[in-house]
C-alpha cells in the first residue's frame, strides 16, 4: 500500500479531483514522466512500422536489389532531370511519373504508375529496365508513347 505523498500522487493520477491534495511539483513530475513514456512508445511504434516497410520490400531474387532501397538515381537528359527512387517515386523535374507499383518480366523491370495527369492519356507511367553494369547509372530515358516513359538502370545487382 502507498503511504503519504505516494498515496496522494497515485490518487491524483487516477482521479483529477484528488489532484488538489497533491503538491504541485510531484504532479508536474508525474505528468512529465508520463509524457516522456508516451513519446517513447510513439517512437518505438514508428520504428516498428519503418522496419515492417523494409521487410515488406520485394528486393528481387535472393534480395539482390535490397542495397538499392532508400536510394535515388538521377540523370540529366536534354533539358530534363529524371529521378528514380526504387520502391518510391519517379520524376521528370517536378512532374511525377509514378510511384513504384510492381516488378515485371521476372524481376528485370520496375513499373511505376499513377503519375501526374497527362492530357489525352491519363496518368503517366514509367518502366525501368534493370541491366548489369559496374555501378548504378540511370540512362537511356525515353518516351516511347505519349506520357509513358522508359529508362535503363545499370547496376551490379542485375549481374
Amino acid at each position: 500500500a502507498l503511504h503519504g505523498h505516494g498515496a496522494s500522487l497515485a490518487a491524483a493520477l487516477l482521479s483529477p479531483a484528488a489532484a488538489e491534495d497533491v503538491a504541485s511539483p510531484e504532479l508536474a513530475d508525474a505528468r512529465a514522466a508520463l509524457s516522456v513514456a508516451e513519446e517513447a512508445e510513439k517512437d518505438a511504434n514508428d520504428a516498428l512500422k519503418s522496419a515492417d516497410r523494409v521487410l515488406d520490400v520485394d528486393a528481387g531474387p535472393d534480395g539482390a536489389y535490397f542495397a538499392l532501397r532508400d536510394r535515388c538515381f538521377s540523370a540529366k537528359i536534354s533539358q530534363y532531370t529524371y529521378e528514380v527512387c526504387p520502391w518510391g517515386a519517379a520524376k521528370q523535374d517536378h512532374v511525377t511519373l509514378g510511384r513504384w507499383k510492381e516488378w515485371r518480366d521476372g524481376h528485370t523491370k520496375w513499373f511505376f504508375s499513377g503519375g501526374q495527369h497527362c492530357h489525352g492519356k491519363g496518368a503517366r507511367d514509367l518502366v525501368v529496365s534493370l541491366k548489369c553494369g559496374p555501378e548504378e547509372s540511370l540512362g537511356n530515358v525515353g518516351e516511347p508513347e505519349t506520357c509513358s516513359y522508359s529508362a535503363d538502370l545499370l547496376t551490379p545487382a542485375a549481374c
Side-chain angles (χ1 to χ4, degrees):
L2 293 173
H3 302 287
H5 289 299
S8 48
L9 178 59
L13 289 172
L14 296 174
S15 167
E20 296 171 12
D21 296 339
V22 177
S24 165
E26 292 170 321
L27 182 57
D29 290 347
R31 285 187 174 143
L34 177 61
S35 177
V36 167
E38 288 172 341
E39 188 63 30
E41 178 185 32
K42 180 187 174 303
D43 290 348
N45 284 330
D46 289 348
L48 182 60
K49 286 178 187 172
S50 179
D52 283 342
R53 279 193 301 275
V54 167
L55 294 174
D56 285 344
V57 166
D58 176 0
D62 299 322
Y65 295 96
F66 191 74
L68 303 181
R69 82 185 192 304
D70 298 331
R71 294 179 60 196
C72 295
F73 307 96
S74 62
K76 178 121 171 105
I77 311 286
S78 113
Q79 75 265 31
Y80 299 111
T81 299
Y82 293 87
E83 181 180 69
V84 173
C85 302
W87 303 284
K91 297 188 287 187
Q92 175 193 52
D93 292 327
H94 298 290
V95 175
T96 302
L97 301 180
R99 295 205 52 79
W100 195 88
K101 171 89 171 143
E102 63 190 6
W103 285 98
R104 291 204 172 160
D105 296 337
H107 287 89
T108 62
K109 295 180 179 179
W110 290 329
F111 181 62
F112 293 78
S113 65
Q116 193 168 325
H117 181 80
C118 181
H119 182 69
K121 182 193 185 274
R124 296 170 199 264
D125 59 53
L126 167 70
V127 175
V128 177
S129 297
L130 302 165
K131 300 189 174 191
C132 179
E135 61 185 18
E136 280 82 17
S137 174
L138 184 67
N140 198 26
V141 180
E143 190 176 357
E145 295 177 31
T146 302
C147 298
S148 284
Y149 300 82
S150 64
D152 293 340
L153 180 66
L154 300 179
T155 173
C159 297

